[in-house]
Amino acid sequence: MTNRHAVVVGAGIGGLTAAVALHRRGWHVTVCERAPEPPVTGAGIGLAPNALRALAAVGIDVARAIGGSVPEAMGVRRPDGRWLTRTGTADMAARYGMAPLAVPRPALTATLAAALPAPALRYGTEVTGVDDAEGRPAVRTAAGPDLPADLVVAADGIRSPLRRAHFPAHPGLNYIGETAWRTLVDAPDLRIPAMSETWGRGRRFGVTPLVDGRYYLYATAVVPPGTRFADPRAELRQRFGSWHDPVPALLDRVARLDPADVLRNDLYDLAAPLPSLHHGRIAWLGDAAHAMAPNLGQGGCQAIEDAVVLAHLLPAGERGDGRDTAVAAGLAAYTAARRDRTDTVRRRARRVGRLGVLRNPVVVAVRDLAVRATPARLALRGMDDLFDGFRLPVA
C-alpha cells in the first residue's frame, strides 16, 4: 500500500462524505460500520445551500443523483394554520444561488456509498477502540484484526464511544427537554406545496416534501427523558390530530405504517464544545464532534461541511515522510477552521429551540407576534451566516 490509509468509523452521512472526499484526494479508505447493512428505511434530511455547495466541492451533485424538485415555500405556522412567516424558495435561490433540497436519508447515503470502491465499505464491523500512542493509529474491531491507519475519522454518532474514550473529562450530552418522532409517508393526493413547521405550546410538527414525492414528517413534545409510549402512531394522533390541515390527513397515513417505521428519539446536544476536534491522528466530525439540536436543520449540513474541510486541509493521499507531519498539521488546521463555526451553530440551535418549547400561553402569544412582525427579507438575511457560510479554507 503506497497511499495513506484513513479508517472512517461510522457510515452515516458525515462519515461517508469524509470517505468520499478523502478517496478523491487519493487516500486509501476503509469505512467501518457496526450495522449489518446499509439503511433502507429512515427519515429525511434537509440539505441547505451550504451543504449542497460542500457536496458539490467533492463531486456529488445531489439534484442529479436523487432529484431536484423543491417546495414552493417554507415557513412557520400556528396550530390553527395561520402563517407566522413564509419565504418563497425562489427568493432563497436568488439570494444563495440555489434552493435547499430535502431528500430521504437512505437515498443520500446510497449516493455517497456509490462514489466509493465497494471494498472500502465494511458493514457489520464494530470498532471497539483506537490505539494511537505511537503516532500511527491501530483501529481495534470486534472481529479483528486491527487496522493500521494514518488517520481515523470518528463519525460514530451522538454518543461517540471514541469521544468518551479520548475526552474523558468532557461533560457529554445535554437533554434539551424534548422528544421527537420522525417518519416518511406517501401522500401524493395531498399535493402539499410548502415546507412548514407548526409551533404550538411545547409542541411542534414539521412537514417537508421530499424530492421523491413522499413527505418527511417530524414532531416534538416537551416530556421527561426516557418517557415511553405504547404506540407512537396513537401518541401523534392524540397530540396533533386537532391541528390544521393537512396534519390530520398526514396522520391518517401514519396510522397505516408499521409502528417500527415511526422513529422516536429524545433530543440531546453537546453540553459544551470539545477542547479540540482532533486528538493525535483522530478527527471528530458531525454529531460525534458537536451534536446540536435540530432546530436549524444544520446537524447533517455541518457534518458534511466538516468532512469536506477535513479532506481539503489534509495532504493528498501519497505517503509523505516517516513522521508524516503534514497529516498532523492538517488536523490542527481542521480544528482551527471548524471548532468555532460549529459551536456557534450549536449554541444558536439551542437558543432557537427554546422558542419551540414555550408553553405559557401569554409568552407563546408574544413569541408568535414577534415572529409575525419580522419581515421575511430580514428573517432570510438572518440565515446568511449559515447558508452562505461554507468556504474552503486555504490549505
Side-chain angles (χ1 to χ4, degrees):
M1 183 171 54
T2 60
N3 286 14
R4 294 180 173 97
H5 180 211
V7 175
V8 179
V9 185
I13 289 167
L16 288 174
T17 303
V20 171
L22 288 165
H23 171 65
R24 293 186 172 171
R25 292 275 286 155
W27 286 64
H28 174 69
V29 177
T30 301
V31 181
C32 296
E33 169 55 54
R34 67 180 179 179
E37 59 188 13
V40 295
T41 61
I45 179 172
L47 297 173
N50 56 306
L52 294 171
R53 271 194 292 274
L55 288 168
V58 293
I60 302 296
D61 184 334
V62 176
R64 173 177 289 184
I66 303 176
S69 62
V70 298
E72 296 175 4
M74 56 192 304
V76 178
R77 308 176 78 172
R78 300 193 320 186
D80 62 6
R82 186 172 185 177
W83 289 93
L84 298 175
T85 181
R86 186 175 184 179
T87 302
T89 49
D91 294 333
M92 297 184 68
R95 187 172 186 87
Y96 302 115
M98 61 188 73
L101 294 177
V103 302
R105 281 180 178 265
L108 181 57
T109 55
T111 297
L112 293 166
L116 293 169
L121 295 163
R122 298 191 183 183
Y123 288 94
T125 302
E126 181 179 1
V127 170
T128 57
V130 176
D131 295 322
D132 64 344
E134 297 182 3
R136 190 161 190 250
V139 178
R140 301 192 307 272
T141 64
D146 291 355
L147 298 172
D150 300 284
L151 168 72
V152 177
V153 179
D156 53 342
I158 189 169
R159 300 187 183 278
S160 171
L162 291 179
R163 183 185 67 226
R164 294 198 303 270
H166 293 273
F167 296 101
H170 188 272
L173 298 176
N174 164 68
Y175 180 56
I176 65 175
E178 296 175 279
T179 198
W181 297 265
R182 297 172 294 145
T183 193
L184 302 177
V185 298
D186 287 303
D189 55 306
L190 296 182
R191 296 184 177 87
I192 302 169
M195 179 189 307
S196 67
E197 184 171 285
T198 302
W199 290 359
R201 292 169 53 189
R203 293 178 288 167
R204 289 177 288 173
F205 195 97
V207 181
T208 301
L210 300 181
V211 296
D212 65 357
R214 291 182 293 171
Y215 296 98
Y216 167 42
L217 310 181
Y218 62 91
T220 70
V222 176
V223 298
T227 302
R228 294 290 176 260
F229 304 100
D231 185 337
R233 303 165 302 177
E235 190 67 27
L236 288 170
R237 170 73 71 183
Q238 187 273 326
R239 291 179 181 270
F240 303 99
S242 63
W243 284 23
H244 64 79
D245 291 333
V247 174
L250 289 165
L251 292 176
D252 286 342
R253 305 309 199 277
V254 173
R256 303 171 195 169
L257 299 175
D258 187 301
D261 290 332
V262 182
L263 309 178
R264 193 199 66 80
N265 303 95
D266 289 339
L267 297 180
Y268 292 84
D269 66 3
L270 212 60
L274 291 180
S276 173
L277 299 188
H278 75 286
H279 182 284
R281 295 296 184 90
I282 308 172
W284 281 262
L285 60 74
D287 282 346
H290 44 69
M292 59 186 66
N295 306 301
L296 297 173
Q298 280 288 309
C301 296
Q302 291 301 309
I304 290 168
E305 284 193 19
D306 288 343
V308 174
V309 170
L310 173 64
H312 174 75
L313 291 173
L314 288 167
E318 294 78 11
R319 197 176 294 282
D321 62 74
R323 292 177 301 152
D324 217 0
T325 55
V327 173
L331 290 173
Y334 167 67
T335 285
R338 295 298 300 163
R339 184 178 178 275
D340 286 351
R341 172 164 169 78
T342 55
D343 191 56
T344 297
V345 178
R346 179 189 67 86
R347 288 184 285 110
R348 181 173 171 182
R350 183 183 288 185
R351 289 196 303 270
V352 171
R354 291 176 182 143
L355 297 176
V357 300
L358 296 174
R359 289 186 283 181
N360 181 287
V362 175
V363 178
V364 167
V366 172
R367 174 198 69 188
D368 292 353
L369 182 61
V371 173
R372 283 189 61 209
T374 303
R377 67 182 183 279
L378 293 182
L380 187 57
R381 188 183 303 168
M383 305 302 286
D384 285 358
D385 60 330
L386 296 178
F387 293 171
D388 207 24
F390 170 73
R391 298 288 186 277
L392 284 175
V394 176

